[in-house]
Amino acid sequence: MTDLNLPLKGIRVVDLTVVLAGPYCGMILADFGAEVIRVESIQHFPPQTRGIFARPSKDMPSSRSAGYPNGEPGRRPWNRYPLFNAMGRNKLSMTVDITKPDGMEVFKRLVKVSDVVLENYVPEVMDKLGVSYEMLKQVRPDIIFCKMSAYGDTGPYRNFRAMAQSIDVMLGHGSIRGYADSDSTDQPASVAEDPAEGVQAAFAIVAALYHRNRTGEGQLLDLCLSESYMPYMPQAFMDYAMNGRVQGTLGNRDPVAVPCGNFRCKGNDKWVSISIFTDEEWDGFCRVVNEEWVHDDRFKDSVSRRRNEDELERLVGSWTQKHDSYEVMHLLQKEGVAVGPLLDEVEAYQDPQLKARGFFVEESQEDAGTHMYPGSLFKMSGTPPLVRRGPVRLGEDNEYVYNEVLGIGGAEYEKLVETGHIGTEYAPHIK
Amino acid sequence: MAQQVLSGMKVIDLTNYIAGPACTKLLADYGADVIKIERPTGGDGARNIGPFYHDEVHPEKSGLFMYLNTNKKGITLNLKSKLGKEIFNELLKTADVVVESFKPGVMDRLGLAYEDITKANPKLVMTSISNFGQDGPYKDYKLTELMALGMGGRMHAMGDAEREPLKYGLTVTLYHSGMVAATATMIGFYGSSFQGIGRHLDVSIMETQAASVDGRLNSLVTYQYSGRVTARGSIMGAQYPAGTFPCADGYFRIASGGPRFSRAVVMMGNPPELLDPKWYTPEAPGDPALKEEFDAYFMEFTLKHTKRELFMMGQEADNICAPFYAIDEVAQDPHFKERGFFVEVDHPMTGKVTYPGRPFLMEKTPWQLRRPAPLLGQHNNEVYSELGYTNEDIARMRGSGII
């Protein structure tokens, strides 16, 4: 895998990450050539990483198992969990229990021959394990240590418990989303903080590698969900700073575009987004819709359209309901109006644009089978195909990492198997 | 000042509005020399979008523009003119990176296709940010915040089942595309610096969402595996306590359902009613009757306390919980103050204003504010005289609308 023409080839990342943001960062680095070695333990099961449970019970509600291939957890459910596998390509996995002294020694030997250590626990977890930047520097002086947390590595909330759901309301995003006519407390479960932190961590790591190559100096990187997402809301923070205004939610509406919203189309729960910013776009809309009301004085200019926004939305919706969502997009885009269908999973996999661009990629793995997965976040010229291997299985690369990377073989390897460090299945006590 | 990580990296910035400028802002804020090229008439369209300083609509007072363009130098240049192209090609000779967000095909029509501009400088990295990517049937279509989340992302599954699907706040999705583009640029630049290979990065805003781990990635793979389509509506289910509760001064959110139930009980001071064994049977976590009973009890507790009191009490007992903050409360929160997240920026048209600061901390090579966003054409004299143009040349170019 090392002779491929990829920008991050030759970089080795020790990946201790769990759940979402950390593994997402690892995927980006692996996609572009880094050797990302997941360090996992068969003695501990981090929740919501390789599943909710390691071995889901057979009589659990079907909704809980619905994500597994064919709804079956299978013999090794941890290699079949969709969330993990969605981010599992191109990575390696080794197992070692770093809560034990001999496991910590193995970990240090790996750090010694690596460029980056990546983790995303609450900071006190690494404190308790004794994994600090100081310690890592002693093992490898130019190491880059990337810590990802909810509130950061300093400050009064350093060790506060959080997930994106709570961070989302704490950093103010909760107050500027939600339906405009509700008190905006009952919101969709979707949260976008994890992708923000994951992508920025990849940026920070590559930037730090660049600095290290120029100066020989490693460094500590401190990322957190809250501060990686606040820079996505400058309109609200700047309005507060400049005008003392505390913005609330506009729902789907926009300060400039009108109409701006999601409108129901023909079919079961089908929708399009329409946003009209300019008079030219409004004229394009009128050419397509060409019903009596579009020529009404109430909608003749943007000020009138804003004043009569409720009624305008109702009329736009009455037109879209008669049409297919894709048809609405093509008709209006040809006239220069920003319109697009809301795609569910079925439509996304069939979408002509994603298809034409080869966005979905085939990945194979022994336990999960062969499927189409969402591909890269961006395309790069002159690189080989994205998928070098499918979603990594637990402990799949133990032999390679122990034997070839660490030089641990023979009796020493066997002993680590016996003492529960090396394996490809979780220990029997793990449920 | 400490050395910044991207000091010496030269970026030519041909982007407008949000996604592209968010990309080059990250590069500039971590030290790159970014030269932002704006069209001589009016400049970047973001200059006309609010919020405006003291609500005065003015191209030099847009908070959106001022935030997105910190640390960049600004010049004006008409790329359609012959001389404009010549000047651009001179700028390119010393550049490491070009970032552009034109419609696909515009760079080609300007004679600036990647194949052409790399002839003189094969190590050059170019990042193209577009709505749907550089090719494919939608490449000329328009895209908005709503569409990015609706076509690429999972908006169909966001909101109440009975109502219309609901977006995130403001234009967060477009900012995220900019961050993805910055990461793509950084990876490309790293390869160029140490392998000597230039690359063209093609960022489709739609695809940055289709591959987003906000839930879209997971639900796409889940569908592939089992055919399940994610429906719109709450996923909180019968867990308790889970969700948003009213309190003395607003709202408070907690997620301590299932195995974490006892943490909520500790937070409430172990009231005897909640020590009853009925709460701890294996069936208790999914029981709707118990949830109703608990929620009423919990709300009585939350209403007696402020959101900050609840936050502290909840965290003391390791609950995943947070206050429901409005924007002013975030700006004043002691944690972000102590970490120095917000920074004061002095801009000639506004004086000092507090902006959101660095997205992350780099110990040795920190984020820095070197200069506020440029006024339109502010650095024309500086940049063009560096290229060897005399004051008379510059005056002539200004007169003929080239700059």
Side-chain angles (χ1 to χ4, degrees), chain B residues 27-149:
Chain B
L27 303 172
D29 284 359
Y30 283 94
D33 297 327
V34 175
I35 297 180
K36 179 181 178 81
I37 299 181
E38 297 182 77
R39 60 197 162 92
T41 47
D44 183 346
R47 290 180 178 276
N48 306 317
I49 301 179
F52 292 96
Y53 181 70
H54 289 179
D55 290 326
E56 189 197 337
V57 179
H58 185 289
E60 299 295 0
K61 293 188 179 179
S62 158
L64 179 70
F65 180 86
M66 288 190 284
Y67 171 79
L68 277 167
N69 294 286
T70 51
N71 289 324
K72 302 176 191 175
K73 285 183 185 171
I75 62 171
T76 53
L77 186 62
N78 179 358
L79 288 170
K80 285 180 184 155
S81 67
K82 188 164 168 287
L83 181 58
K85 273 193 203 91
E86 274 174 41
I87 294 173
F88 183 77
N89 279 314
E90 285 177 56
L91 281 169
L92 274 182
K93 281 182 195 152
T94 57
D96 298 300
V97 172
V98 176
V99 184
E100 62 96 7
S101 64
F102 292 122
K103 276 173 97 171
V106 169
M107 288 293 275
D108 296 25
R109 287 198 286 281
L110 289 169
L112 302 172
Y114 183 65
E115 299 70 40
D116 297 331
I117 63 175
T118 43
K119 274 179 195 143
N121 183 357
K123 277 179 68 179
L124 189 73
V125 171
M126 181 160 98
T127 302
S128 294
I129 305 163
S130 60
N131 296 337
F132 296 98
Q134 294 299 305
D135 50 26
Y138 305 169
K139 71 176 164 46
D140 298 323
Y141 280 7
K142 287 185 176 171
L143 175 137
T144 59
E145 171 75 14
L146 273 174
M147 288 170 63
L149 199 54

Side-chain angles (χ1 to χ4, degrees), chain A residues 5-7 11 20 24 63 66-70 80 82-83 85-86 133 151 153-154 156-157 160-161 163 165-166 169-173 175-179 181 183-185 188-191 195 199-200 203 207 210-211 213-214 217-223 227 229-232 234-235 238 240-243 245 252 262 269 271 273 281 326 329-330 333 336 338-339 341-345 348-349 351-353 357 371-374 378-381, chain B residues 5 7 51-52 54-55 63 67 132-138 141-142 144 146-147 150-151 154-156 158-160 163-172 175-176 179 182-184 186-187 189-190 193-195 197 199-202 207 211-214 216-226 228-230 232 235 244 251 253 255 308 311 315 319 322-325 328 330 332-333 335-336 338-339 341 354-355 358-365:
Chain A
N5 175 24
L6 287 164
I11 298 300
L20 282 175
Y24 196 52
S63 63
Y68 291 105
N70 309 317
R80 291 164 61 84
L83 178 57
N85 286 0
Y133 180 49
Y151 290 108
D153 198 35
T154 61
Y157 307 159
F160 278 18
R161 299 295 190 265
M163 53 183 193
Q165 287 274 343
S166 54
V169 299
M170 198 278 177
L171 56 77
H173 187 218
S175 71
I176 54 166
R177 62 191 293 205
Y179 292 106
D181 57 1
D183 64 5
S184 82
T185 53
S190 295
V191 280
V199 165
Q200 290 170 33
F203 177 95
Y210 174 72
H211 179 72
N213 288 10
R214 292 209 294 178
E217 184 178 63
Q219 62 180 310
L220 175 68
L221 306 174
D222 175 11
L223 286 97
E227 291 171 353
Y229 203 67
M230 280 194 271
Y232 288 16
Q235 291 100 319
M238 295 295 284
Y240 173 66
M242 297 188 306
N243 302 314
R245 186 178 293 120
N252 289 329
N262 294 324
D269 202 34
W271 302 82
S273 300
E281 290 172 344
Y326 269 92
M329 169 174 74
H330 292 306
Q333 285 277 3
V339 179
L342 276 66
L343 305 183
D344 66 18
E345 292 83 354
Y349 273 98
D351 182 75
Q353 178 69 14
R357 300 253 304 158
H371 301 277
M372 297 300 283
Y373 290 75
F378 53 88
K379 288 189 187 307
M380 181 176 272
S381 64
Chain B
V5 68
S7 303
F52 292 96
H54 289 179
D55 290 326
Y67 171 79
F132 296 98
Q134 294 299 305
D135 50 26
Y138 305 169
Y141 280 7
K142 287 185 176 171
T144 59
L146 273 174
M147 288 170 63
M151 297 180 75
R154 70 189 312 249
M155 187 161 63
H156 80 95
M158 289 166 55
D160 292 346
R163 295 193 62 171
E164 73 276 16
L166 183 65
K167 71 193 267 276
Y168 292 125
L170 301 168
T171 55
V172 294
Y175 283 97
H176 186 61
M179 290 293 186
T183 303
M186 190 63 232
I187 291 173
F189 177 61
Y190 184 87
S193 301
F194 303 114
Q195 299 171 333
I197 305 168
R199 289 187 174 87
H200 186 193
L201 293 316
D202 172 4
E207 287 167 15
S212 174
V213 77
D214 68 338
R216 183 60 159 181
L217 197 57
N218 183 25
S219 62
L220 285 170
V221 177
T222 296
Y223 166 70
Q224 252 312 278
Y225 277 11
S226 64
R228 187 174 68 168
V229 173
T230 307
R232 196 160 61 256
I235 57 154
T244 310
Y251 292 92
R253 180 171 281 184
R308 274 198 67 80
F311 185 33
Q315 290 293 344
N319 288 275
F324 203 103
Y325 269 169
D328 54 337
V330 185
Q332 289 152 15
D333 185 85
H335 179 78
F336 301 119
E338 185 171 321
R339 282 175 57 81
F341 175 75
T354 302
Y355 294 25
R358 80 287 178 290
F360 48 83
L361 290 163
M362 300 187 79
E363 176 211 12
K364 302 248 174 62
T365 53

